[in-house]
């Protein structure tokens, strides 16, 4: 790479050699360490490349070996500048390009976060914007130490931050704490456990509180399953006081779900015609341009775009985005569902609802699906018999009664 740049910067020549002793000339150039490359014997002549500084040294060697040299072509920066010496605007544009590149290098055009799992990219980016750190700001105004300190302070789960500016990018590396930063305080507020829905209790393990039902009982939504009130019985087997606790229990019950979905009898089909339109999307700063042929009237197209931010080197990003747009023409028509498609649709809906139940910790015991058609709609009915946790804690308000104040009535006479 360095050799290629050196040749183009100082210039090099394509030369044809003829004469009495060309082999002797080549040997003499080797002895004097004059660089020749791509030497080709064309029969009566030799053709090769050599640098401009090397060409200036070979005049005595040419006389000594009795050969003749003819320059066929010139390459490199010196000859390019000489050919375009009268094109002032060309030169101004050439140097102006480097001035613009230098001006762009003074700003931040990309912000990258690495190591963040608990906090999303958008969350961290919005926080940086609230700290006046955003795209397009000057690099000299970024205080990496202050940014590191503020991130650690504002996000307790971040234990280590490293921020640095490289090229036109702000690189922020983050390490999050995988252990809880503090032990949660245990809630001791008295509460009952009530039923979330109707069902038949299948299992019941009570850790604190007084059970109000047992296995096999039928329960209804809102019914108290475990009471927080523990009576204290005295020697005479009378309730002398009541102690309230936070009820805790694992209660499961056999429950039912009935779900219905209605879909049209006809489905919309999109078929591609094979016609494709391609275009280019260019965005610079806050201005965007769409270069694409307009679509013909009465046609429908689906568009997809792939966007990429331009960069000269690995960390020298520019505020320019280029995207390739591909448009495919399609036509739409409607047709009734086939029996196989109805079964497939019902199966997909059933699996989707079943997945939601499993995510809640629901165990599915039975699952029945029915497909019912009427004049305008297809009705998919799903019946699930499940086993699931049904108890939820509900705060218990302790009712207190104020005792009447004692009053002294004295009829005594002084």
């Amino acid at each position: 790479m360095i050799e290629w740049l050196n040749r183009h910067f100082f210039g090099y020549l394509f030369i044809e050699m003829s004469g009495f002793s060309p082999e002797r000339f080549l040997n003499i150039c080797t002895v004097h360490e004059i660089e020749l490359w791509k030497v080709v014997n064309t029969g009566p002549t030799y053709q090769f490349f050599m640098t401009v500084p090397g060409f200036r040294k070979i005049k005595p060697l040419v006389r000594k070996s009795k050969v003749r040299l003819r320059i066929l072509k010139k390459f490199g920066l010196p000859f390019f500048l000489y050919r375009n010496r009268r094109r002032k605007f060309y030169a101004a544009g050439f140097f102006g390009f480097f001035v613009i590149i230098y001006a762009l290098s003074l700003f931040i055009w990309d912000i990258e976060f690495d190591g963040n799992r608990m906090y999303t990219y958008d969350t961290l980016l919005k926080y940086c914007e609230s700290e006046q750190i955003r795209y397009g700001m000057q690099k000299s105004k970024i205080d990496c130490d202050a940014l590191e300190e503020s991130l650690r302070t504002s996000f307790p789960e971040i234990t280590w931050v490293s921020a640095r500016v490289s090229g036109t990018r702000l690189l922020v590396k983050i390490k999050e704490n995988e252990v809880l930063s503090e032990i949660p305080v245990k809630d001791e507020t008295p509460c009952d456990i009530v039923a979330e829905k109707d069902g038949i209790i299948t299992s019941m393990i009570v850790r604190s509180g007084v059970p109000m039902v047992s296995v096999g009982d039928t329960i209804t939504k809102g019914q108290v399953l475990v009471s927080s009130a523990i009576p204290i019985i005295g020697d005479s087997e009378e309730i002398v006081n009541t102690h309230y606790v936070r009820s805790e229990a694992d209660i499961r019950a056999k429950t039912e779900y009935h779900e219905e979905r209605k879909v049209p009898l006809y489905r919309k089909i999109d078929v591609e015609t094979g016609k494709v339109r391609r275009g280019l999307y260019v965005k610079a700063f806050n201005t965007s341009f769409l270069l694409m042929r307009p679509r013909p009237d009465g046609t429908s197209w689906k568009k997809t775009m792939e966007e990429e931010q331009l960069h000269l080197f690995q960390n020298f990003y520019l505020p320019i985005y280029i995207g390739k747009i591909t448009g495919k023409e399609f036509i739409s028509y409607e047709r009734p569902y086939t029996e196989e498609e109805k079964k497939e649709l019902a199966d997909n809906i059933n699996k989707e609802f079943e997945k939601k139940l499993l995510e809640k910790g629901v165990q599915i015991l039975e699952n029945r699906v029915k497909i019912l058609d009427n004049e305008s709609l297809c009705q998919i009915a799903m019946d699930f018999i499940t086993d699931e946790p049904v108890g939820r804690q509900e705060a218990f308000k302790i009712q207190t009664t104020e005792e009447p104040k004692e009053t002294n009535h004295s009829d005594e006479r002084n």
Side-chain angles (χ1 to χ4, degrees):
M1 183 64 182
I2 297 177
E3 184 179 359
W4 182 88
L5 291 174
N6 185 54
R7 290 173 181 174
H8 282 76
F9 185 78
F10 293 102
Y12 63 97
L13 307 169
F14 182 48
I15 293 178
E16 183 181 62
M17 177 180 63
S18 60
F20 178 72
S21 181
E23 293 81 4
R24 185 182 181 188
F25 173 80
L26 297 177
N27 293 333
I28 294 174
C29 288
T30 303
V31 172
H32 288 79
E33 297 182 351
I34 297 176
E35 183 183 12
L36 306 177
W37 67 93
K38 292 186 179 180
V39 180
V40 178
N41 185 358
T42 61
T45 63
Y46 281 82
Q47 293 180 352
F48 54 86
F49 291 89
M50 70 182 309
T51 62
V52 172
F55 183 78
R56 293 170 181 166
K57 299 177 182 178
I58 63 173
K59 188 174 182 179
L61 306 182
V62 171
R63 289 196 302 265
K64 187 174 182 179
S65 57
K66 297 180 181 180
V67 295
R68 293 188 298 275
L69 302 181
R70 185 164 67 96
I71 300 175
L72 299 180
K73 202 166 183 181
K74 302 176 182 179
F75 303 92
L77 182 61
F79 304 109
F80 174 80
L81 296 177
Y82 180 78
R83 288 193 300 267
N84 297 278
R85 62 188 181 277
R86 295 183 180 179
R87 298 182 178 180
K88 298 180 180 179
F89 292 103
Y90 190 94
F94 179 78
F95 289 106
F97 170 78
F98 290 98
V99 172
I100 293 174
I101 293 297
Y102 172 74
L104 292 176
S105 67
L106 302 177
F107 299 86
I108 290 293
W109 302 115
D110 184 60
I111 300 177
E112 179 180 336
F113 298 97
D114 183 25
N116 56 306
R117 293 180 178 85
M118 185 175 300
Y119 302 104
T120 63
Y121 177 85
D122 292 336
T123 300
L124 296 175
L125 184 61
K126 288 180 180 178
Y127 175 78
C128 289
E129 291 178 352
S130 66
E131 297 293 318
Q132 305 303 318
I133 296 177
R134 55 175 56 90
Y135 292 102
M137 71 174 300
Q138 294 183 11
K139 296 190 296 185
S140 59
K141 294 183 179 180
I142 297 179
D143 189 344
C144 292
D145 295 334
L147 176 60
E148 294 172 359
E149 182 64 26
S150 62
L151 283 172
R152 287 193 297 266
T153 304
S154 302
F155 299 94
E157 300 301 329
I158 295 179
T159 58
W160 179 83
V161 183
S162 174
R164 65 184 180 92
V165 176
S166 178
T168 59
R169 307 177 74 191
L170 174 61
L171 305 176
V172 183
K173 293 186 177 181
I174 294 172
K175 185 175 181 181
E176 297 175 346
N177 188 11
E178 298 179 357
V179 184
L180 290 176
S181 58
E182 59 181 10
I183 300 176
V185 180
K186 187 176 181 180
D187 190 358
E188 298 291 346
T189 306
C191 65
D192 297 331
I193 294 180
V194 299
E196 289 186 293
K197 61 184 308 181
D198 301 344
I200 301 174
I201 295 180
T202 58
S203 65
M204 187 172 182
I205 300 175
V206 180
R207 290 185 290 273
S208 64
V210 179
M212 307 300 291
V213 292
S214 58
V215 175
D217 290 352
T218 300
I219 58 175
T220 58
K221 183 178 180 181
Q223 180 181 348
V224 177
L225 306 180
V226 180
S227 175
S228 62
I230 301 178
I232 300 175
I233 302 175
D235 296 335
S236 58
E237 296 185 356
E238 294 180 354
I239 299 176
V240 297
N241 198 357
T242 303
H243 178 62
Y244 297 93
V245 298
R246 186 175 182 84
S247 301
E248 293 184 3
D250 295 330
I251 304 173
R252 298 183 70 90
K254 185 178 181 181
T255 58
E256 295 182 0
Y257 285 87
H258 304 283
E259 186 74 11
E260 292 185 358
R261 299 288 177 86
K262 295 181 180 180
V263 296
L265 289 176
Y266 290 83
R267 64 176 300 184
K268 185 178 180 181
I269 305 296
D270 295 335
V271 180
E272 295 182 1
T273 62
K275 295 182 179 180
V276 179
R277 293 186 302 134
R278 290 184 173 84
L280 187 65
Y281 166 82
V282 181
K283 179 181 177 182
F285 299 97
N286 294 325
T287 305
S288 58
F289 304 92
L290 178 62
L291 305 176
M292 192 174 187
R293 290 185 295 106
R295 65 180 180 88
D297 295 336
T299 58
S300 301
W301 297 76
K302 294 180 180 179
K303 295 181 182 179
T304 58
M305 184 180 69
E306 299 178 0
E307 187 181 74
E308 182 180 1
Q309 187 175 3
L310 294 185
H311 56 91
L312 299 180
F313 308 103
Q314 181 179 2
N315 290 323
F316 199 108
Y317 278 68
L318 301 175
I320 302 174
Y321 297 82
I322 293 181
K324 295 181 180 179
I325 302 176
T326 303
K328 296 182 180 180
E329 185 186 19
F330 69 94
I331 56 176
S332 300
Y333 66 95
E334 291 185 350
R335 66 168 176 81
Y337 281 94
T338 63
E339 293 300 325
E340 292 76 11
E341 289 174 341
K342 290 179 182 178
K343 292 179 180 179
E344 183 180 358
L345 179 62
D347 186 55
N348 292 335
I349 294 175
N350 182 67
K351 288 181 179 179
E352 180 183 353
F353 189 75
E354 183 178 337
K355 182 180 178 181
K356 293 180 179 179
L357 293 179
L358 293 175
E359 289 175 352
K360 297 178 180 179
V362 178
Q363 181 182 355
I364 300 175
L365 303 178
E366 294 183 23
N367 182 6
R368 294 187 296 270
V369 182
K370 295 180 181 179
I371 301 176
L372 305 174
D373 292 341
N374 55 30
E375 295 181 356
S376 59
L377 293 172
C378 173
Q379 182 175 345
I380 300 173
M382 296 173 289
D383 296 326
F384 292 86
I385 298 178
T386 60
D387 184 87
E388 62 177 311
V390 294
R392 63 176 175 84
Q393 293 178 328
E394 186 176 275
F396 176 79
K397 296 182 180 180
I398 302 175
Q399 297 180 356
T400 59
T401 57
E402 295 183 359
E403 296 181 358
K405 296 181 180 180
E406 295 183 358
T407 56
N408 296 327
H409 299 280
S410 178
D411 294 335
E412 297 180 356
R413 295 182 179 180
N414 294 332

